Amino acid sequence: MLSKNQIKYINSLQQKKFRQEYQSFVVEGAKSVVELLSSDFELESLYVTEDFYKETKPLLDKQPLRAEIVGQAELEKAGTFSSNNAALAVAKMKSNQELLLNDTEYALVLDEIRDPGNLGTIIRIADWYGIQKIICSEGTVDLYNPKVISSTMGSFTRVSLFYTDLVKYLKGQQKPIYGAFLDSENVHTLKFAPSGYIIIGNEANGISEAVGEVVTHKITIPRFGGAESLNAGIATAVICDNLRR
Amino acid sequence: MLSKNQIKYINSLQQKKFRQEYQSFVVEGAKSVVELLSSDFELESLYVTEDFYKETKPLLDKQPLRAEIVGQAELEKAGTFSSNNAALAVAKMKSNQELLLNDTEYALVLDEIRDPGNLGTIIRIADWYGIQKIICSEGTVDLYNPKVISSTMGSFTRVSLFYTDLVKYLKGQQKPIYGAFLDSENVHTLKFAPSGYIIIGNEANGISEAVGEVVTHKITIPRFGGAESLNAGIATAVICDNLRR
């Protein structure tokens, strides 16, 4: 049974100011909670339905924290999911630590991605293509927003994000910095360097002028038809696929 | 000035049953309306703000139908956009005509795509990659749904959709039918035939069993990290990019 205060606390974590205050965030849904339980995130509390408890017992038994069995209706009151919610966890946020690349590594660099669904999708794509580091402008939506977490489908456990001033960060790097622009080098024929940065621009405005100035390699996804642009997540996937092939 | 009855009529077209009854649909937003005006869709009515009217005068002057100048607040009452709406058109739906491919053409085949944003994104991707035909299962979300139309960003004017029984339709075709499955042929090394079909499965369940049985070429987007899957729009983009390179 979730108390009124527990529900109130979990609800409050939908807001960034309370997440900052408590340094905690919420993970909802069976798939995401299972991934969380297999990760190095520190758990604060864990609420699961009886069915989830039975199905996931071996994994739950390994946790230092005991899962509390509650009804699905209670989980739906506490979380943001309107249905289909079998598990909810409160976990501790990780600190915003600088990320540096080794000589065979790539990072995505997000220049003001505002939409939580887009950030979640981009994290999932990074995870698919084995990219474990994402550098975010300070205006990029918060990783710990519940919509971001749920749309990563668990990939937030395998990809690290660092929020910083992009220009300052990138100016100190020696590696190639790729950014998508019109009429530049075709990603189908480009030979990517062994490591570097790939900048993804804002949904409406693309790469900002200041960040554009630190790009060392302008690249283009070739177009074969009439659409004017691709959305941020789609462009990320196509560039990553070309990088990895 | 939009009358109460005009607003009521436009609002009603948010629902499929009224679109079916009147054979009409709504296009909102400057970018989409501009694309509509340059297409072969037949216009029923056209409402624009004064600013849009001035900016788009040469294009508006070419239309057989006169644009009515209205306030933005009225457009927002009539349409589904909560802001930023400078134009709204009611256009006639096209009939659901069978689409066949020539010898150098590809079509996407959508097996129960339910989310309007996903269908819109897929149409935009098809348009980017020069794919002009999409075959949809009968349970795929309606093209003329306002969220689908707006998320195509105007690409609905250049891509044709045909809703049909996929198994019946595909069984009669001689061309290769590609579908994404786990552990099949790598799209990075596959040589695509000069023409054929690419099946995109449902968001949650993938390609249905019955449709899977008519697939002639099983393909796989190679994975380099930990994510379990890619979403339908992302998979479409990556497959199309590999097809066109």
Side-chain angles (χ1 to χ4, degrees):
Chain A
M1 179 80 192
L2 278 159
S3 73
K4 264 193 188 166
N5 274 341
Q6 283 171 313
I7 291 179
K8 204 175 146 189
Y9 170 62
I10 295 168
N11 285 164
S12 80
L13 297 177
Q14 290 176 28
Q15 289 177 57
K16 189 171 178 179
K17 68 171 177 182
F18 292 111
R19 292 196 297 272
Q20 294 289 350
E21 187 177 334
Y22 300 116
Q23 291 291 305
S24 298
F25 71 108
V26 173
V27 180
E28 294 174 81
K31 156 96 176 136
S32 294
V33 169
V34 165
E35 300 254 23
L36 180 75
L37 297 179
S38 317
S39 77
D40 62 353
F41 277 93
E42 187 195 331
L43 286 185
E44 186 179 303
S45 50
L46 180 57
Y47 308 101
V48 303
T49 60
E50 201 164 348
D51 284 352
F52 181 90
Y53 184 83
K54 284 180 194 157
E55 282 162 25
T56 324
K57 199 164 181 314
L59 184 62
L60 290 171
D61 285 347
K62 276 193 252 165
Q63 305 300 318
L65 188 91
R66 237 191 76 225
E68 223 177 290
I69 295 176
V70 299
Q72 186 166 314
E74 287 175 83
L75 286 181
E76 283 157 17
K77 243 188 231 168
T80 64
F81 285 19
S82 57
S83 67
N84 210 7
N85 200 354
L88 185 151
V90 181
K92 299 313 285 179
M93 285 164 50
K94 291 187 177 169
S95 61
N96 187 40
Q97 275 188 313
E98 180 157 6
L99 297 171
L100 295 169
L101 302 190
N102 68 34
D103 285 348
T104 58
E105 219 177 358
Y106 264 82
L108 299 182
V109 178
L110 309 186
D111 187 7
E112 306 290 284
I113 293 292
R114 304 286 192 180
D115 179 79
N118 281 345
L119 179 56
T121 301
I122 289 171
I123 293 171
R124 190 172 162 198
I125 293 164
D127 186 25
W128 179 275
Y129 285 106
I131 292 175
Q132 286 156 351
K133 293 174 184 165
I134 299 183
I135 317 298
C136 302
S137 67
E138 280 153 348
T140 291
V141 58
D142 180 28
L143 162 64
Y144 296 109
N145 176 310
K147 275 188 206 149
V148 175
I149 291 293
S150 78
S151 57
T152 70
M153 302 289 281
S155 290
F156 73 93
T157 60
R158 285 178 296 268
V159 178
S160 301
L161 274 68
F162 171 51
Y163 287 77
T164 190
D165 179 318
L166 291 189
V167 173
K168 273 191 200 155
Y169 176 92
L170 291 170
K171 270 196 171 159
Q173 310 303 330
Q174 303 302 312
K175 298 178 187 296
I177 300 169
Y178 298 90
F181 290 86
L182 291 176
D183 301 321
S184 301
E185 206 178 338
N186 183 339
V187 293
H188 287 176
T189 49
L190 173 76
K191 249 188 99 71
F192 282 91
S195 85
Y197 296 93
I198 294 168
I199 301 183
I200 306 298
N202 169 267
E203 293 92 341
N205 308 315
I207 297 177
S208 63
E209 212 182 302
V211 173
E213 279 171 15
V214 298
V215 166
T216 60
H217 293 66
K218 294 192 173 183
I219 58 176
T220 296
I221 298 174
R223 177 171 73 156
F224 298 82
E228 246 177 45
S229 62
L230 292 169
N231 81 31
I234 298 293
T236 306
V238 171
I239 294 171
C240 290
D241 191 73
N242 279 280
L243 168 66
R244 290 304 190 205
R245 59 183 296 125
Chain B
M1 179 81 192
L2 277 160
S3 72
K4 265 193 188 166
N5 274 341
Q6 283 171 314
I7 291 179
K8 204 175 145 190
Y9 170 63
I10 295 168
N11 285 165
S12 78
L13 296 176
Q14 291 176 29
Q15 288 177 57
K16 191 171 177 179
K17 70 171 175 180
F18 291 111
R19 292 195 297 271
Q20 294 288 352
E21 187 179 332
Y22 301 116
Q23 292 291 304
S24 299
F25 72 108
V26 173
V27 181
E28 293 175 82
K31 157 95 177 137
S32 294
V33 169
V34 166
E35 298 255 22
L36 179 74
L37 296 180
S38 317
S39 78
D40 62 351
F41 276 93
E42 186 194 332
L43 288 186
E44 186 179 301
S45 49
L46 178 57
Y47 308 100
V48 302
T49 61
E50 202 164 345
D51 284 352
F52 181 90
Y53 183 82
K54 283 179 195 157
E55 282 162 26
T56 325
K57 198 163 182 312
L59 184 62
L60 290 171
D61 286 346
K62 276 193 253 167
Q63 304 300 319
L65 188 89
R66 237 189 76 224
E68 221 176 292
I69 296 177
V70 299
Q72 187 167 314
E74 287 174 82
L75 286 181
E76 283 158 14
K77 242 188 232 169
T80 63
F81 284 20
S82 56
S83 68
N84 210 6
N85 199 354
L88 185 152
V90 181
K92 299 311 288 179
M93 286 164 49
K94 291 187 176 170
S95 61
N96 187 41
Q97 275 187 314
E98 180 156 7
L99 296 171
L100 295 169
L101 301 190
N102 68 35
D103 284 350
T104 59
E105 217 176 4
Y106 264 82
L108 299 181
V109 178
L110 309 185
D111 188 7
E112 306 291 283
I113 293 292
R114 303 287 191 177
D115 179 79
N118 282 345
L119 178 56
T121 300
I122 289 171
I123 293 171
R124 191 172 162 197
I125 294 164
D127 186 24
W128 179 274
Y129 285 105
I131 292 175
Q132 288 156 350
K133 293 173 185 168
I134 300 182
I135 317 298
C136 302
S137 67
E138 280 153 349
T140 291
V141 57
D142 180 26
L143 162 63
Y144 296 108
N145 176 310
K147 275 189 205 148
V148 176
I149 291 293
S150 77
S151 57
T152 70
M153 302 288 281
S155 290
F156 73 92
T157 60
R158 285 177 297 268
V159 178
S160 301
L161 274 69
F162 171 51
Y163 288 77
T164 189
D165 180 318
L166 291 189
V167 173
K168 273 193 200 155
Y169 176 90
L170 291 169
K171 270 197 171 158
Q173 310 303 329
Q174 303 301 312
K175 297 177 188 296
I177 299 169
Y178 298 90
F181 290 85
L182 292 175
D183 303 319
S184 301
E185 205 178 341
N186 183 340
V187 293
H188 288 175
T189 48
L190 174 74
K191 248 187 99 72
F192 282 90
S195 87
Y197 296 93
I198 295 168
I199 301 182
I200 306 298
N202 170 267
E203 292 93 340
N205 308 315
I207 296 176
S208 62
E209 213 182 303
V211 173
E213 279 172 15
V214 298
V215 167
T216 59
H217 294 66
K218 293 190 174 185
I219 60 176
T220 295
I221 298 174
R223 177 171 74 154
F224 299 82
E228 244 177 45
S229 63
L230 292 170
N231 79 32
I234 299 293
T236 305
V238 172
I239 295 172
C240 289
D241 191 72
N242 279 280
L243 168 66
R244 290 305 189 204
R245 59 184 295 127

